[in-house]
Amino acid sequence: MAGKLYIVPTPVGNLDDMTPRAIEVLKSVDTVLAEDTRTSGVLLKHFGIATPMRSHHKFNEHEAVSAVVEQLQAGAVMALISDAGTPGISDPGFLLSRECRRQNIEVETLPGATAFVPALVNSGLPCDRFVFEGFLPQKKGRATRLEELKTQPLTMVFYESPVRLLKTLQQFAEVFGTDREGSVVREISKLHNTTHHGTLSELVDYFTANAPRGEIVIIVAGCPPSTTAKVDKYAEFKHKKAKV
């Protein structure tokens, strides 16, 4: 009989955000697949979890999936965790989850911490519908993707590193417009959690004077309907002119 894979969210900051069910699952499984066994070792020790760990990260995920699936097919019960948040959301996990589905191995994902949800809700921007972009391409395809998002009407969510934040905000201001509203949230659920709201121009000014640290989530307002309509009309005009 095939085993089961649990996908278990872990705190993005405060360890008190760990759910009792997540602790129970990590204690009960045969093996914990961890993005970084050193980081996860601190977490497991804190909650008295003695389950054996195995490394499962983006550098070995392609090679590791087959072996993990074989063990699951043989009846093993495993849990997958990342350094913080929900595996699969800009972290390893998708490949394993997909292969388990293909092999009819049961996968259960526990609800829990993920960085972008509190950042989105806290931004004050519309969150009934949104697009999650995660980390943009650093080089190839970046400019093209930003142009595609220029007329995106929904609130947009991005992850970014502190060393690239200012450059990214400058690019956003250039492509989306300096008056577009945004929000930068750092160190969610940690001691130095901060949120800064304003136009992209104001955010550029602030982070030019204040170098950020920690994990970053950027929320950007969608393109106003009137702007989208103007862009669509201009595109239609160019198309008709080209046909003539």
Side-chain angles (χ1 to χ4, degrees):
M1 181 178 179
K4 181 174 181 178
L5 174 69
Y6 288 95
I7 297 178
V8 181
T10 55
V12 296
N14 194 320
L15 290 181
D16 287 342
D17 293 337
M18 189 75 167
T19 69
R21 185 176 175 216
I23 297 171
E24 179 184 344
V25 167
L26 293 180
K27 286 182 175 180
S28 66
V29 297
D30 301 315
T31 306
V32 173
L33 304 172
E35 183 179 5
D36 186 325
T37 55
R38 294 166 298 180
T39 299
S40 296
V42 175
L43 177 76
L44 268 58
K45 183 178 180 181
H46 179 81
F47 290 106
I49 301 168
T51 307
M53 282 189 295
R54 184 192 306 174
S55 180
H56 188 92
H57 48 70
K58 65 180 181 180
F59 301 108
N60 72 357
E61 188 175 17
H62 284 84
E63 294 76 17
V65 164
S66 296
V68 171
V69 167
E70 285 182 10
Q71 288 184 285
L72 290 167
Q73 288 175 322
V77 179
M78 299 184 178
L80 174 67
I81 60 176
S82 62
D83 289 349
T86 301
I89 305 297
S90 294
D91 278 325
F94 163 69
L95 293 178
L96 179 57
S97 177
R98 180 181 65 181
E99 190 59 26
C100 285
R101 295 297 187 195
R102 287 174 173 174
Q103 301 299 328
N104 293 317
I105 297 169
E106 184 179 2
V107 177
E108 182 174 356
T109 302
L110 275 59
T114 190
F116 80 83
V117 173
L120 173 62
V121 176
N122 199 51
S123 72
L125 295 171
C127 55
D128 54 333
R129 297 176 65 207
F130 61 91
V131 291
F132 175 74
E133 289 294 321
F135 288 98
L136 287 168
Q138 291 187 33
K139 294 181 180 179
K140 186 178 180 181
R142 186 180 181 92
T144 301
R145 186 60 187 145
L146 286 175
E147 281 298 322
E148 291 171 347
L149 293 171
K150 186 175 182 177
T151 56
Q152 168 60 253
L154 304 181
T155 301
M156 296 173 283
V157 182
F158 304 89
Y159 284 166
E160 192 52 279
S161 74
V163 296
R164 291 196 300 266
L165 174 63
L166 180 57
K167 182 179 180 180
T168 295
L169 289 173
Q170 291 169 336
Q171 290 175 326
F172 284 176
E174 180 181 346
V175 177
F176 302 149
T178 56
D179 292 336
R180 188 80 69 94
E181 292 291 323
S183 177
V184 175
V185 186
R186 55 178 291 275
E187 296 291 84
I188 290 173
S189 191
K190 297 180 182 178
L191 180 62
H192 300 293
N193 176 208
T194 59
T195 300
H196 297 279
H197 306 289
T199 64
L200 291 175
S201 177
E202 290 170 339
L203 292 172
V204 167
D205 289 343
Y206 178 84
F207 287 105
T208 297
N210 301 273
R213 295 181 180 178
E215 302 295 325
I216 304 287
V217 183
I218 309 171
I219 312 296
V220 180
C223 181
S226 58
T227 305
T228 305
K230 289 178 182 178
V231 172
D232 290 343
K233 284 186 177 180
Y234 180 62
E236 183 180 353
F237 170 76
K238 287 205 305 180
H239 177 68
K240 287 180 178 179
K241 188 174 181 181
K243 290 180 70 175
V244 173

